[in-house]
Amino acid sequence: RQRMSAARVSPTPSPVKMNDEKKVNAYALPSVDDERPKFLKDPFGWYAQLSYRRPRTMFATAWGFIFLLCAIGAPFFKQSDSGDYDWLLGRDSAIVQRSYSLKQVQERASQFTELAERTVPQTEQLFHLMYEARGSDNLLKPAMLKEMLEIEKVLFTDKRYAAYCVAEVADVNTCSADGYKSPLTLFYTISITRDGNNQTVYSADPISCQLSPQQQSQGLSCGGGANYVDTEAGIKAKMALVLASASGPKAKLWFDAGFNEDGVSTDARYMQAFYFLGMPLDGYSNPADRNEEQRVPGNAMLLDASDALKLRFGMKETWSKSSFQTEATVATADGEMKVYWWSLPGQENEWQTLSSKDLNFTVLSFLGVMVYVAYHTGSIIISATSMLMTVTSIFVAFFWFRVVFQVSFFQFINFLIIFVVLGIGADDVFVFMDAFHQSIDELRAKNKPATLPHRIKHTMRRALHAIFVTSFTTSAAFCATALSPLIPLRSFGLFSALVIFCVFGINAVVLPPLTVLYIRNLHGRGWIGSAKAIVQGMLPCTVFTLPVYEDPGLKLPDDEDKAMAASTDPADKYNVKHMRMTERFFYVRYFNFLNSPAKYVILAAFAGLFAGGVALWVSLEVPKEPEQWFPKTHMFQQYQDMGSDKIMMGGSGADTLDVSLVWGLSGLNTKGTDPWKPSDLGDVIYDAGFDPSTAAAQAHLMKSYESLKTAACGAKACSGGKLADPLVTIRNIVAETDATGAVIGGFYKYLNDLGGAYASSHPVNAPVTSDTFNVQMCKYSKLDATKVRYAGHVGYYVKDCDATPVPSAKFILIEATSSIRMPQAPVDFTEAQDDWEVFGNSLDVGAPAELTGAEATSTNIFWLWSVTSISLMDNVYLGLAVCFPMVFFVLSVSTGNVILAFYSTVTIAGIVTTVIGIGAGGIMGWDLGTTEAIAAVIVIGFSVDYCVHLANAYIENDAVDRVSRTRIALTTMGISVTAGAITTIIAGAFLAFCILTFFVKFAFLICWTIFSSYIWAVIFFGALCMTAGPSGKFGDISWLLAKMFPWCH
């Protein structure tokens, strides 16, 4: 027998002598020890018996097993490495597959290519600076330009800059002017080199003002300054000269869209500068060679430059604010200006930093939930244990997730389940402890003994069944998310389902012995008495003499209890004296309210709410503006907004999108790929009939090239109504031509320059074909100049072009800079993408057999992200399509009543329409964008709990008529539902203090979902059951079968 300090109790309670209370003869009551239930026959009774007889053993055993699973799974508990394809559709999108195929073949071709060190500018390693005039409309003033120089020096004076900048092909120690594009170069001669110690050496000398008499006669003046930058007049003179020259159109790209719009003014409200890093680094053959590894040192330098600028402008981080939410402003003698800067490594680092910072609010969520659980249960011990069960459920779930099911993808989004499981875990504890509290009245109403062992058994049967059903439905709803083609959502859905079930399992094995231990030793004691009991329970000998536990179930029922037990109405068997405030509210006040004509008003009002939610939901669209991930006050969001508003004319390369027309690829072989590895989409399948060396193939390539020059695009995202940017030359490795059709670049220009037999060669009129084409094209692709302009444009997988057999091209492409300027709204971008695809397909018309299957694609992430953005809305509808039938089926089985299951499904439909339509669309005015779609998919999973709780409580009580059934359901389960709603709102509300907009939106959706779930379940579902709930066996599956097949009954 289990000893518990001096207050040990034998399994069969002994009568205790009392002065003023009558006791039941404990020996006359059946004991759990006497019943000896078997596990298979009565698992609840079996575990209740063990929990009562050996609570410490069962409690310790349960936790030992839980900690064992945690220990096994803990070594694997880490995030997967991020990749470009994590949030892309992968196997489910032809657009992604084509892009992936191109990237793979270009990476393979690069293995046979060596480039000069750092000769290729990297848009992924761009440091973009923007300046805005404050209080003045002109940045082109002496003090302003000199301040800009000091700001940009922070970057190019870094001792590492010359080791990572874009280098001259002829001199690796000299930074190429193509790598730093700044308006300051109009006023300063900037030279950046690397010395023998691998350190940066720079000079920035002002350009002297020298105007010819003719220029002076045109009104240009140096303003008395020796250099252009010394005076405002000198600056205006320099700008006038530049704008009048051939480089004028390119120089305008450094300024805002309204700059020099009238052809006269040279005032600039905005200016920008671009600093690119170059690849390949020393020791690497090309940019694709161990690309991520190559990026590391350059990324680190860009992050350090950003930190140096933040220090310069006094931008400090606080617990609730990012350093980038402080404006970077500087006052000069000519006015004030605001500075912005951006880099992809900086944005990625900021996202990770803010994600970690925002997740710190999890601590406040835990504390808030813990305090309320302690208040509701009246026990800090139960509250602390509840939080421990919630935390360990995540690690136990990870054991099943990673060790058992071998799911390798686990990322940041999976941690969002913390805020969901906090509320669900607390709700499970509330259901169990409230059922235990109500067990005395319920057992006495059934003329059964209400002693502790019988209360534990009764509580387990009632509470664990209710918890299991809600856990099952919630897990199934999350499993609907696991059907998503997006691997992060699929991983989140599966992991969340496992967490919910693990919470149930842990609660089921821990709460019964915990309740026995608490009731016997801690309930009703003060702090000192509880501390003594805890210490005594840990010791093998008696140290403190504590009062013996007195089982309230041994007290004789008073006259009021006897009268209630004798009542024929099960709803009258509950003693109001024993009820807590919330239970009394539901039993008396709320019941009287629902049992009046008010229920009809409620049903009508909620019908209107449902209709309004549907109408608002239908009106939701994919955002017409780019997604907002940072708050409006954040520098990166302001940077994006300026790009969206097209304030600048462009020029960075980061806002452009290169699209390729590719021949030679026919798909992917997905056999043997890892379904949980987003970047493992399969092996490229080449077109066996592809051969660009024939005369017909080359002629068709040139025809396609010429067609692309004038190809129209009707999409909003396209500028000027063209697919390709007319200001940027289309890269065609075979041959580039001018307006007259003369060859001015590419392979055939190379052949013409070789002279001899190739002097008059032409891709259409005099093509080089067969082996000669392949050998010469292979050699041309290995030239340094070719590798810079046409990197990865043709695929020869050999290093020796004179090898035998003669190498043949595996693919070839034509690349154009599209007219699309990023960022773009997904819906607009998709339209432009469709126009590109239509053009690519049109090239098959009249194509020779060896050059069919042209595909338009791009390896730029923006080309792929729009597909994900659009598909996220489909994921919401997929989750709903699976969730509703599943809920109906599960509730039909668990309650055995199809009418109640139908009512519950309607209620959940109302919840979802209220959340998405009324909440997201009506109150917040959101579109159904990426953030909203991800959050909506998540909240669907826990919108079912409260309705399911009440449905089960309705059907499982002893009443027959709908009024009594509803009253009992609301009384017994209303308090748990209310407490669960409060804790989940507490868990989610702290997210509103986060910085990232995703968490802020998620906070609203969590709280609004819980509020909506509560009012729909307690008010609408309660009124519906009170009005038309099934009575007796009406709607039971057995009743339906009897009606349908009377001959079987």
Side-chain angles (χ1 to χ4, degrees):
R1 297 186 182 278
Q2 180 70 38
R3 293 195 311 165
M4 179 56 77
S5 74
R8 69 186 182 199
V9 180
S10 62
T12 304
S14 300
V16 181
K17 184 177 181 181
M18 300 291 292
N19 296 326
D20 55 350
E21 292 184 344
K22 295 182 179 180
K23 289 282 184 176
V24 176
N25 185 348
Y27 293 105
L29 297 174
S31 168
V32 175
D33 284 337
D34 298 332
E35 294 174 4
R36 298 286 183 182
K38 304 298 182 184
F39 173 75
L40 294 179
K41 184 177 180 180
D42 185 6
F44 290 138
W46 175 81
Y47 195 75
Q49 174 199 31
L50 291 177
S51 298
Y52 174 70
R53 294 177 64 238
R54 297 181 174 86
R56 282 195 299 181
T57 301
M58 297 307 297
F59 188 76
T61 302
W63 279 114
F65 183 68
I66 292 168
F67 288 141
L68 176 63
L69 295 182
C70 291
I72 296 173
F76 303 97
F77 194 79
K78 61 180 181 180
Q79 285 188 240
S80 309
D81 294 331
S82 299
D84 292 340
Y85 293 88
D86 290 351
W87 280 94
L88 302 177
L89 292 181
R91 296 169 181 80
D92 297 283
S93 170
I95 291 176
V96 176
Q97 289 183 355
R98 288 195 292 266
S99 175
Y100 176 85
S101 298
L102 177 58
K103 185 175 182 179
Q104 292 302 304
V105 297
Q106 287 184 323
E107 287 182 354
R108 184 175 179 188
S110 70
Q111 296 173 9
F112 303 92
T113 303
E114 292 188 5
L115 291 170
E117 182 183 339
R118 305 196 324 276
T119 52
V120 182
Q122 300 297 302
T123 56
E124 295 87 355
Q125 291 187 308
L126 160 69
F127 197 86
H128 188 188
L129 286 149
M130 297 180 68
Y131 307 95
E132 177 188 0
R134 304 291 292 271
S136 169
D137 291 333
N138 187 18
L139 288 169
L140 288 172
K141 294 183 178 181
M144 295 280 205
L145 291 176
K146 291 174 182 178
E147 183 64 30
M148 289 181 198
L149 179 63
E150 295 303 314
I151 292 170
E152 293 181 26
K153 277 183 179 179
V154 170
L155 181 65
F156 67 73
T157 60
D158 187 292
K159 64 181 181 180
R160 297 163 293 176
Y161 180 76
Y164 303 130
C165 67
V166 179
E168 293 283 0
V169 175
D171 183 6
V172 71
N173 291 318
T174 300
C175 293
S176 170
D178 292 335
Y180 51 92
K181 300 178 180 180
S182 170
L184 293 176
T185 56
L186 299 176
F187 306 98
Y188 293 91
T189 301
I190 299 177
S191 172
I192 307 171
T193 59
R194 180 173 56 174
D195 64 13
N197 297 320
N198 209 33
Q199 302 289 305
T200 299
V201 178
Y202 77 94
S203 63
D205 301 321
I207 299 175
S208 61
C209 184
Q210 297 178 352
L211 297 175
S212 67
Q214 181 181 0
Q215 291 168 339
Q216 292 179 19
S217 67
Q218 295 172 353
L220 301 182
S221 168
C222 293
N227 308 304
Y228 287 112
V229 76
D230 291 341
T231 65
E232 192 169 348
I235 294 172
K236 288 183 179 293
K238 179 63 175 178
M239 290 307 304
L241 294 174
V242 170
L243 293 174
S245 69
S247 60
K250 286 189 176 180
K252 283 186 176 182
L253 298 177
W254 285 324
F255 302 95
D256 54 272
F259 176 75
N260 195 234
E261 196 170 27
D262 58 2
V264 178
S265 173
T266 56
D267 289 351
R269 179 70 186 272
Y270 295 89
M271 292 172 62
Q272 59 182 344
F274 316 99
Y275 288 82
F276 295 88
L277 302 188
M279 285 187 186
L281 299 182
D282 184 27
Y284 299 87
S285 59
N286 52 70
D289 180 11
R290 294 162 287 168
N291 181 268
E292 292 187 6
E293 181 181 301
Q294 279 196 78
R295 292 184 194 179
V296 171
N299 288 353
M301 191 201 74
L302 294 179
L303 293 177
D304 289 344
S306 179
D307 290 340
L309 287 174
K310 287 192 287 186
L311 184 63
R312 178 184 181 89
F313 292 106
M315 301 162 64
K316 296 182 180 179
E317 185 173 325
T318 65
W319 69 273
S320 62
K321 188 177 177 182
S322 165
S323 55
F324 284 103
Q325 288 180 271
T326 301
E327 288 190 343
T329 57
V330 59
T332 70
D334 290 324
E336 185 181 16
M337 68 177 171
K338 182 177 180 181
V339 186
Y340 309 84
W341 62 88
W342 176 91
S343 69
L344 182 59
Q347 179 169 302
E348 291 174 345
N349 181 72
E350 177 72 354
W351 175 267
Q352 294 174 358
T353 300
L354 294 186
S355 297
S356 301
K357 179 189 285 288
D358 286 348
L359 281 178
N360 290 334
F361 285 102
T362 307
V363 176
L364 296 180
S365 296
F366 265 90
L367 291 176
V369 172
M370 183 176 175
V371 169
Y372 187 80
V373 173
Y375 164 75
H376 184 85
T377 61
S379 169
I380 294 179
I381 297 296
I382 292 178
S383 177
T385 306
S386 170
M387 294 299 99
L388 182 60
M389 290 189 292
T390 299
V391 172
T392 53
S393 68
I394 295 174
F395 290 93
V396 173
F398 190 80
F399 165 80
W400 292 98
F401 181 79
R402 185 69 182 89
V403 179
V404 178
F405 293 110
Q406 294 290 300
V407 180
S408 57
F409 188 89
F410 186 87
Q411 282 199 343
F412 169 76
I413 187 175
N414 292 52
F415 290 109
L416 294 179
I417 191 60
I418 294 174
F419 300 98
V420 177
V421 79
L422 272 174
I424 292 177
D427 179 65
D428 291 352
V429 172
F430 295 146
V431 171
F432 190 93
M433 298 309 298
D434 290 339
F436 179 79
H437 178 84
Q438 296 159 2
S439 61
I440 291 182
D441 284 349
E442 291 175 345
L443 286 170
R444 285 177 174 172
K446 296 178 181 180
N447 291 317
K448 293 182 178 180
T451 55
L452 181 59
H454 296 88
R455 291 177 67 191
I456 291 293
K457 182 177 180 180
H458 174 79
T459 299
M460 287 187 66
R461 283 176 172 165
R462 196 194 104 177
L464 294 185
H465 177 264
I467 295 172
F468 173 79
V469 173
T470 54
S471 298
F472 186 85
T473 52
T474 306
S475 297
F478 278 118
C479 283
T481 305
L483 298 176
S484 169
L486 293 172
I487 291 180
L489 288 183
R490 194 188 314 162
S491 171
F492 172 81
L494 178 58
F495 182 68
S496 299
L498 290 172
V499 170
I500 300 304
F501 253 115
C502 288
V503 169
F504 164 75
I506 292 174
N507 285 336
V509 298
V510 170
L511 285 176
L514 172 65
T515 304
V516 173
L517 289 171
Y518 173 75
I519 292 299
R520 281 180 175 175
N521 299 276
L522 302 177
H523 183 63
R525 302 186 192 276
W527 287 93
I528 296 177
S530 298
K532 289 181 178 179
I534 292 173
V535 172
Q536 181 62 67
M538 296 179 179
L539 299 176
C541 58
T542 300
V543 176
F544 303 110
T545 301
L546 301 173
V548 177
Y549 167 67
E550 300 174 5
D551 194 333
L554 296 176
K555 297 178 183 178
L556 288 172
D558 56 23
D559 294 338
E560 187 176 351
D561 290 332
K562 291 178 180 178
M564 286 189 296
S567 174
T568 57
D569 186 354
D572 293 334
K573 295 180 181 291
Y574 291 86
N575 194 334
V576 178
K577 293 190 306 182
H578 300 163
M579 292 181 181
R580 290 163 289 182
M581 181 178 65
T582 307
E583 290 168 323
R584 284 197 302 272
F585 169 77
F586 282 110
Y587 188 74
V588 180
R589 292 178 179 271
Y590 191 62
F591 167 73
N592 292 333
F593 172 72
L594 281 187
N595 200 27
S596 69
K599 59 179 175 286
Y600 304 114
V601 178
I602 290 172
L603 295 177
F606 275 83
L609 183 66
F610 180 81
V614 171
L616 288 170
W617 189 349
V618 171
S619 66
L620 289 179
E621 298 178 352
V622 175
K624 292 182 171 57
E625 297 295 330
E627 293 287 343
Q628 178 180 327
W629 297 100
F630 297 98
K632 286 289 186 181
T633 56
H634 197 284
M635 180 184 291
F636 292 166
Q637 186 58 46
Q638 294 169 355
Y639 171 87
Q640 177 181 297
D641 291 343
M642 286 192 288
S644 302
D645 296 338
K646 305 296 184 290
I647 288 177
M648 307 305 295
M649 294 188 69
S652 71
D655 64 343
T656 61
L657 180 72
D658 292 336
V659 182
S660 300
L661 297 169
V662 188
W663 290 266
L665 311 180
S666 61
L668 290 171
N669 178 12
T670 59
K671 185 177 181 180
T673 57
D674 185 348
W676 292 107
K677 188 176 180 181
S679 60
D680 186 10
L681 298 183
D683 298 322
V684 176
I685 302 173
Y686 296 93
D687 183 353
F690 170 72
D691 184 7
S693 68
T694 68
Q698 293 178 60
H700 186 71
L701 275 169
M702 294 307 297
K703 180 182 177 182
S704 302
Y705 165 70
E706 297 296 341
S707 298
L708 181 57
K709 289 181 179 180
T710 57
C713 176
K716 179 182 176 182
C718 291
S719 303
K722 302 293 183 183
L723 283 177
D725 187 341
L727 298 179
V728 183
T729 306
I730 297 174
R731 279 82 69 196
N732 180 12
I733 192 171
V734 172
E736 294 180 15
T737 60
D738 61 14
T740 66
V743 174
I744 59 172
F747 171 60
Y748 274 90
K749 181 67 168 70
Y750 159 77
L751 290 179
N752 296 158
D753 292 343
L754 287 178
Y758 303 116
S760 60
S761 60
H762 189 275
V764 178
N765 301 326
V768 175
T769 61
S770 193
D771 289 349
T772 305
F773 173 89
N774 281 317
V775 171
Q776 294 299 331
M777 176 62 88
C778 176
K779 291 180 177 179
Y780 176 68
S781 68
K782 308 296 183 184
L783 299 177
D784 285 342
T786 307
K787 289 182 290 190
V788 172
R789 181 165 179 79
Y790 303 110
H793 282 214
V794 67
Y796 286 99
Y797 299 156
V798 294
K799 290 188 176 180
D800 183 5
C801 295
D802 292 318
T804 303
V806 174
S808 60
K810 295 297 184 182
F811 69 92
I812 198 167
L813 62 84
I814 297 172
E815 183 183 64
T817 298
S818 74
S819 64
I820 303 170
R821 288 295 174 266
M822 303 305 297
Q824 291 285 343
V827 65
D828 296 332
F829 186 89
T830 303
E831 292 176 0
Q833 204 171 42
D834 291 341
D835 282 357
W836 269 101
E837 188 169 352
V838 168
F839 177 78
N841 294 336
S842 71
L843 298 180
D844 279 349
V845 178
E850 63 271 22
L851 202 73
T852 58
E855 299 284 1
T857 188
S858 174
T859 56
N860 191 301
I861 191 65
F862 293 112
W863 180 264
L864 309 176
W865 180 249
S866 62
V867 183
T868 296
S869 300
I870 299 297
S871 69
L872 283 169
M873 181 181 287
D874 297 332
N875 275 273
V876 175
Y877 296 118
L878 173 64
L880 295 174
V882 175
C883 179
F884 290 143
M886 174 274 304
V887 169
F888 179 79
F889 173 78
V890 171
L891 284 175
S892 295
V893 173
S894 66
T895 64
N897 191 287
V898 294
I899 293 178
L900 204 61
F902 174 73
Y903 288 172
S904 301
T905 306
V906 170
T907 303
I908 294 167
I911 295 169
V912 175
T913 56
T914 303
V915 171
I916 300 178
I918 303 295
I923 297 176
M924 302 305 293
W926 296 335
D927 293 315
L928 193 55
T930 303
T931 304
E932 293 82 0
I934 293 173
V937 168
I938 294 171
V939 299
I940 288 171
F942 66 102
S943 63
V944 303
D945 265 20
Y946 306 144
C947 179
V948 172
H949 273 317
L950 291 175
N952 275 280
Y954 179 93
I955 207 70
E956 288 183 355
N957 61 60
D958 296 330
V960 177
D961 64 287
R962 64 173 63 97
V963 174
S964 296
R965 279 181 165 182
T966 304
R967 187 179 194 183
I968 294 174
L970 289 170
T971 301
T972 57
M973 198 56 70
I975 185 173
S976 303
V977 167
T978 302
I982 292 173
T983 51
T984 308
I985 288 177
I986 291 173
F990 285 106
L991 287 173
F993 300 103
C994 292
I995 299 172
L996 293 173
T997 56
F998 176 83
F999 290 115
V1000 176
K1001 290 182 176 181
F1002 192 48
F1004 171 79
L1005 286 171
I1006 286 179
C1007 295
W1008 184 250
T1009 298
I1010 296 305
F1011 174 76
S1012 302
S1013 300
Y1014 185 80
I1015 63 172
W1016 273 91
V1018 174
I1019 301 177
F1020 171 78
F1021 186 75
L1024 184 60
C1025 289
M1026 187 74 79
T1027 304
S1031 298
K1033 293 186 177 182
F1034 183 77
D1036 287 358
I1037 295 177
S1038 59
W1039 177 84
L1040 286 175
L1041 292 175
K1043 293 292 184 182
M1044 295 170 62
F1045 308 106
W1047 59 86
C1048 294
H1049 296 270

